[in-house]
Amino acid sequence: MRSIWRTLDRGLARDIGLVCVADCLVGVSYGAIAVSSGFPLWLPMLMSLLVFAGASQFMFIGIVAAGGNPFAAVLAGLLANARHLPFGFAVGDVVGQRWTRLFGSHLMSDETVAFAMAQDEAHRRRAAYWACGVGIFVCWNAGVLAGAFAGSAIKDTDVFGLDAAFPAVLLALVLPSLRDQAARLPVLVGVLVALAATPFLPAGLPVLLALAGVVVGIAAKEPELQEAR
Amino acid sequence: MDGVELLIGTAVLALGTFAFRFAGPVLRSRVKLSPRAERLMALAAVVLLAALVAVSALTEGHGFAGFARPAGVLVAGVLAWRKAPFVLVVVAAAATAALLRLAGVP
């Protein structure tokens, strides 16, 4: 663990810290919304510890609070979290071995994956993943705890524009990957597919369908590879 | 709302989510990936993250998210493209969206 903190330079640590603060505030709003929707105090806290995936948690309380079936709420949450499966393949080398892998996998989130992918050296990838993962885990849960007890003080983090901060973080981390020419067509196709599917499909599924972009990428690349041979 | 129902719902969601997270690293360590497959996995993650950016910037539920949020993300995108510091990129995104909402833009 100690080597991780040594590897982190100050700039990267500051960037990760900023994301942790933003996630903490979103956590406050999650805790406050859950409790003021009539859920018992323990629910947002337990869910944040065990599920630890913001979008699916908001989805769960939103569906149940609106009188929806809890079974449907679980299904919607699982659908939203299915993207962690391909994420795991991409960053599986940094989550640790044996026991640490259990915890390392649990720390997986969009932000941790994006931070890890944005580093080019293996030890920096690992350091970014763990620092961001542990940091967000602590800040998210602390935020939810505060929100659940503080109640409706901060209900709507949209007022602070935090809903724009989340995609902005991911965008800033993903942009360097787009300098790679081979990534552009797959990303473009994936984005268009996801946006086109959003009005019609349940949340979570459109993002998964973006993987069609990878298939297009392979198909477009194959003839070039053969010519090269 | 029934507490037991909520507890079971939380447990199932937690276990399922963990299974998704755990499966990738485990499968990856069992199978020796070719460099080409490794590149594809990295590409898949980039495509997923980019799609997540687009969907979370532009949509809310099944519809359009309004103008404030995409405007904030657009400002962030330009700043990040011009290699502005990360802190500035993120704060500018939030500030743009917040100010637009303050001015009455949805």
Side-chain angles (χ1 to χ4, degrees), chain A residues 1 65 97 99 118 137 141 143 162 164 181 200 202 204 206 214:
Chain A
M1 252 324 197
Q97 301 292 323
W99 291 106
F137 189 77
N141 281 289
L162 278 179
Q181 195 115 43
F200 312 106
V214 179

Side-chain angles (χ1 to χ4, degrees), chain B:
Chain B
M1 267 163 284
D2 185 357
V4 177
E5 237 174 42
L6 290 177
L7 196 60
I8 294 171
T10 303
V12 175
L13 182 55
L15 283 174
T17 302
F18 183 78
F20 283 135
R21 284 181 172 135
F22 197 54
V26 167
L27 291 174
R28 188 192 155 111
S29 68
R30 298 272 156 88
V31 189
K32 185 85 188 85
L33 290 177
S34 66
R36 187 179 135 82
E38 293 232 0
R39 274 203 308 278
L40 274 181
M41 296 300 175
L43 178 62
V46 169
V47 168
L48 281 170
L49 288 170
L52 200 58
V53 169
V55 168
S56 56
L58 292 168
T59 68
E60 175 77 54
H62 293 290
F64 181 51
F67 293 98
R69 191 194 300 168
V73 178
L74 185 68
V75 169
V78 172
L79 286 172
W81 181 52
R82 304 297 300 264
K83 305 225 169 108
F86 185 79
V87 174
L88 182 66
V89 171
V90 178
V91 171
T96 304
L99 288 174
L100 282 174
R101 286 195 184 117
L102 201 63
V105 179

